[in-house]
Amino acid sequence: MKPTGHRIYWDRYKYLFTALVSYKSSCLLNHGRKCMEMREKNKNMKRLLAAFDFDNTIIEGNSDIVVKNLLPDEELTEDVRCLYKSDGWTAYMRRIFQLLHGSNFSPSDILSAVRNVPFTPGMKELLKWLHEVNGETIIISDSNSVFINDYLQNSSLDKCVTKVFTNPAVFNDSACLEIEMYHYQDWCKLSTKNLCKGHILEAYIQERSKENVDFPFVVYVGDGANDFCPSLRLNEQDITCPRVGYTLEKKIMNAKENDPGSVKASVVPWTNGNDIIDALKQRLNGSV
């Protein structure tokens, strides 16, 4: 029996309806996939990378010097003082920690001294703001892991910092603080043998890129001579922030005068963490 006209019409309707549903389902599936890809991309897209020194930058003082000053002057003999010149700062501080232990200073005495160093004005606000705007923050410091991690945790800012690069340290079973060099380097004449900050910064950016995390620009915040190397490794879209009146600012000014092409990044001097917030707000808003 041949199909009637109504049956033919109904079969065609079912075919068209099935095709339309299949097409819409395919569109929704593709749209969902694209949305997931976009969410994943946005999750990996940081608005900037901020790299900080610790002493005289995040905190208003030098954590090593504060702890060294716990010792009476008679403990700091000439052979101890000469360690810095002969073997470097890390070896000097290793000896300082041994002397503190021998003088019955406890871990809590040492950590309390560091915790009592105040934040540099505006720095706590800057770290919190960077976290709020989806920035990624790292610290590269010639202090040590015990001091920095304890300070951040005690200030409830550890979640604002993604990673800390510094000399590894630990209180041993006898409660003496032991410290080692972060690495041994002989390739950078601008840096100490235990810490090339520029190398660490570049390696971190490359590592994050392999993890599909890229940064539109990098900001480096520091004060001292060992912050000069990473400042020179920044590109035109980046920003270096030297603290006003400190060694890094003088080195950058001399470099720009004597070798203008050596400093490619924009230079934003600062006296307060809020100066940096203002500059970064302008950059993120597209006005700088």
Side-chain angles (χ1 to χ4, degrees):
M1 179 182 294
K2 292 183 179 180
T4 63
H6 288 295
R7 177 63 181 274
I8 293 172
Y9 176 80
W10 175 246
D11 288 344
R12 287 179 179 174
Y13 175 80
K14 284 199 301 181
Y15 172 79
L16 290 172
F17 179 78
T18 303
L20 180 60
V21 170
S22 176
Y23 174 74
K24 285 188 172 182
S25 297
S26 176
C27 289
L28 288 170
L29 182 63
N30 289 333
H31 178 71
R33 188 180 295 115
K34 287 180 180 178
C35 286
M36 288 177 64
E37 291 173 354
M38 185 63 70
R39 282 197 296 268
E40 188 67 23
K41 183 177 180 181
N42 288 339
K43 186 173 71 173
N44 290 338
M45 176 62 74
K46 295 292 184 178
R47 300 191 74 185
L48 73 152
L49 172 65
F52 286 80
D53 179 32
F54 183 68
D55 293 319
N56 292 313
T57 297
I58 290 179
I59 64 172
E60 190 68 285
N62 185 305
S63 55
D64 285 341
I65 299 299
V66 166
V67 168
K68 182 209 70 157
N69 288 343
L70 293 173
L71 288 169
D73 289 340
E74 56 267 23
E75 292 280 1
L76 299 173
T77 58
E78 189 60 30
D79 62 315
V80 174
R81 298 177 193 276
C82 288
L83 271 176
Y84 172 53
K85 292 182 180 178
S86 61
D87 293 351
W89 187 257
T90 309
Y92 173 71
M93 286 309 301
R94 185 181 298 120
R95 183 62 182 141
I96 293 296
F97 297 146
Q98 291 168 355
L99 292 171
L100 286 165
H101 180 255
S103 298
N104 295 317
F105 284 94
S106 68
S108 60
D109 294 330
I110 294 170
L111 294 178
S112 293
V114 178
R115 290 174 187 174
N116 286 334
V117 181
F119 277 95
T120 300
M123 277 295 157
K124 192 171 186 178
E125 293 78 6
L126 173 56
L127 292 173
K128 288 182 176 179
W129 179 82
L130 285 166
H131 186 63
E132 290 168 0
V133 300
N134 197 34
E136 185 162 308
T137 297
I138 62 174
I139 293 174
I140 311 175
S141 167
D142 201 9
S143 180
N144 68 73
S145 58
V146 167
F147 288 178
I148 297 175
N149 291 331
D150 180 78
Y151 194 91
L152 293 174
Q153 290 167 8
N154 189 64
S155 306
S156 300
L157 287 175
D158 47 311
K159 289 182 174 57
C160 295
V161 177
T162 302
K163 199 162 186 178
V164 175
F165 298 89
T166 188
N167 303 301
V170 63
F171 284 104
N172 65 19
D173 293 339
S174 300
C176 179
L177 186 57
E178 296 180 342
I179 185 173
E180 300 294 335
M181 295 194 302
Y182 176 80
H183 58 200
Y184 178 82
Q185 69 87 22
D186 58 4
W187 58 80
C188 179
K189 303 304 180 185
L190 297 174
S191 305
T192 55
K193 64 182 180 181
N194 68 298
L195 197 75
C196 176
K197 294 187 176 186
H199 173 81
I200 293 169
L201 179 60
E202 286 188 337
Y204 183 76
I205 294 170
Q206 292 169 7
E207 175 190 333
R208 294 298 276 144
S209 181
K210 290 178 182 177
E211 297 168 347
N212 296 318
V213 178
D214 295 306
F215 306 101
F217 69 97
V218 178
V219 56
Y220 188 88
V221 185
D223 69 282
N226 61 358
D227 298 313
F228 187 52
C229 172
S231 295
L232 291 181
R233 301 198 190 206
L234 299 176
N235 296 314
E236 288 82 359
Q237 74 272 16
D238 301 325
I239 304 173
T240 180
C241 300
R243 189 172 186 182
V244 173
Y246 285 70
T247 303
L248 178 59
E249 184 192 32
K250 296 170 185 174
K251 283 186 169 291
I252 288 176
M253 290 173 61
N254 289 337
K256 288 179 74 70
E257 182 178 342
N258 299 319
D259 187 8
S262 61
V263 181
K264 297 183 285 292
S266 301
V267 180
V268 176
W270 63 277
T271 58
N272 185 298
N274 292 309
D275 299 335
I276 301 171
I277 293 177
D278 291 341
L280 293 181
K281 281 182 177 178
Q282 291 180 27
R283 169 63 64 88
L284 292 174
N285 290 333
S287 52
V288 174

